């Protein structure tokens, strides 16, 4: 199995590495490529660029980096297409990740799309749930109350638990396996 994974910050890198570690029990020859940090590096990710390159927050910080971010989005899309992963996993960083996935979908790139960390549509911008449902096959949410916001738009959403609250993630690896085989 080949997975392309994108994390935009350290907390996402840690969360993704725990999921990948578990998946490696089922798929010992799992190959990873993407954008991660120290935790995913321990899982042997082949990084295409440092995670810090997309960890830009705040309006003032983003404006001068806009051209660089657009180039990184296009570069990421090109790398994904060359790599031809079975599954693409994006973790948080919606401003970057959603743009990458939308471009791939627009180009009819065939893969399974999973996003981890549901955007807070329940707090504001509920309309985004519908847009997210159009681009992903599976959403792994950190809070149990998030699923209905996305499921009403037919996005399969599973509660996995927040890493600060739950010691063991409630991830159904058979769900990922089933997604991979379909």
């Amino acid at each position: 199995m080949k997975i392309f994974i994108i994390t935009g910050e350290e907390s996402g890198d840690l969360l993704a590495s725990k999921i990948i570690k578990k998946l490696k029990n089922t798929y010992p020859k799992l190959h990873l490529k993407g954008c991660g940090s120290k935790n995913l590096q321990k899982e042997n990710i082949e990084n295409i660029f440092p995670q810090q390159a997309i960890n830009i927050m705040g309006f003032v910080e983003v404006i001068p980096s806009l051209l660089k971010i657009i180039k990184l989005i296009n570069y990421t899309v090109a790398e994904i297409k060359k790599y031809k992963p079975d599954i693409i996993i994006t973790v948080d960083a919606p401003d970057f990740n959603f743009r990458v996935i939308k471009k791939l979908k627009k180009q009819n790139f065939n893969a399974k799309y999973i996003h981890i960390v549901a955007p807070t549509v329940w707090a504001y911008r509920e309309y985004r749930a519908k847009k997210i449902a159009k681009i992903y096959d599976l959403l792994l949410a950190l809070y149990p109350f998030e699923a209905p916001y996305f499921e009403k738009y037919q996005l399969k959403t599973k509660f996995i638990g927040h890493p600060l609250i739950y010691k063991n993630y409630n991830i159904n690896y058979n769900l990922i396996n089933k997604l991979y085989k379909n």
Side-chain angles (χ1 to χ4, degrees):
M1 181 193 303
K2 289 170 42 173
I3 293 179
F4 196 97
I5 190 163
I6 307 167
T7 64
E9 55 196 47
E10 291 301 319
S11 61
D13 180 68
L14 178 62
L15 181 61
S17 70
K18 290 181 178 193
I19 291 169
I20 293 301
K21 196 174 287 191
K22 289 273 197 176
L23 279 173
K24 280 185 171 180
N25 292 334
T26 306
Y27 300 99
K29 293 183 181 183
L30 181 70
H31 188 264
L32 296 175
K33 188 171 184 174
C35 174
S37 191
K38 63 184 178 203
N39 296 296
L40 279 172
Q41 287 169 353
K42 289 177 190 171
E43 299 303 323
N44 298 318
I45 189 172
E46 182 185 330
N47 263 330
I48 62 168
F49 56 80
Q51 170 185 287
Q52 294 75 11
I54 60 172
N55 190 359
I56 302 167
M57 294 187 188
F59 185 73
V60 175
E61 291 82 7
V62 170
I63 295 297
S65 303
L66 203 51
L67 188 57
K68 177 183 152 194
I69 293 168
I70 291 169
K71 285 181 180 179
L72 284 174
I73 289 169
N74 291 331
Y75 176 69
T76 303
V77 168
E79 286 295 306
I80 290 171
K81 289 171 73 177
K82 275 195 284 188
Y83 181 59
K84 297 181 179 135
D86 302 296
I87 297 175
I88 300 167
I89 299 175
T90 58
V91 186
D92 214 353
D95 292 331
F96 184 85
N97 284 325
F98 293 177
R99 283 175 174 79
V100 167
I101 300 304
K102 283 178 188 175
K103 278 186 166 258
L104 289 167
K105 288 285 215 170
K106 198 176 267 187
Q107 296 172 20
N108 294 315
F109 185 77
N110 190 23
K112 300 299 180 183
Y113 298 90
I114 299 173
H115 187 71
I116 303 169
V117 182
T120 53
V121 297
W122 46 270
Y124 58 98
R125 299 192 285 184
E126 189 176 336
Y127 66 90
R128 289 182 72 202
K130 187 175 184 178
K131 291 180 178 183
I132 295 161
K134 288 180 181 177
I135 62 172
Y136 283 97
D137 298 303
L138 175 64
L139 176 64
L140 301 177
L142 301 184
Y143 302 106
F145 62 84
E146 292 176 311
Y149 287 93
F150 299 93
E151 288 172 336
K152 76 179 181 182
Y153 299 109
Q154 286 70 54
L155 176 57
K156 185 178 228 41
T157 305
K158 294 296 174 187
F159 162 65
I160 61 169
H162 195 288
L164 294 176
I165 301 168
Y166 301 94
K167 187 175 180 178
N168 295 313
Y169 297 106
N170 179 26
I171 300 170
N172 181 340
Y173 294 97
N174 290 329
L175 186 65
I176 294 173
N177 188 36
K178 195 185 301 182
L179 185 67
Y180 166 62
K181 290 186 176 179
N182 285 337

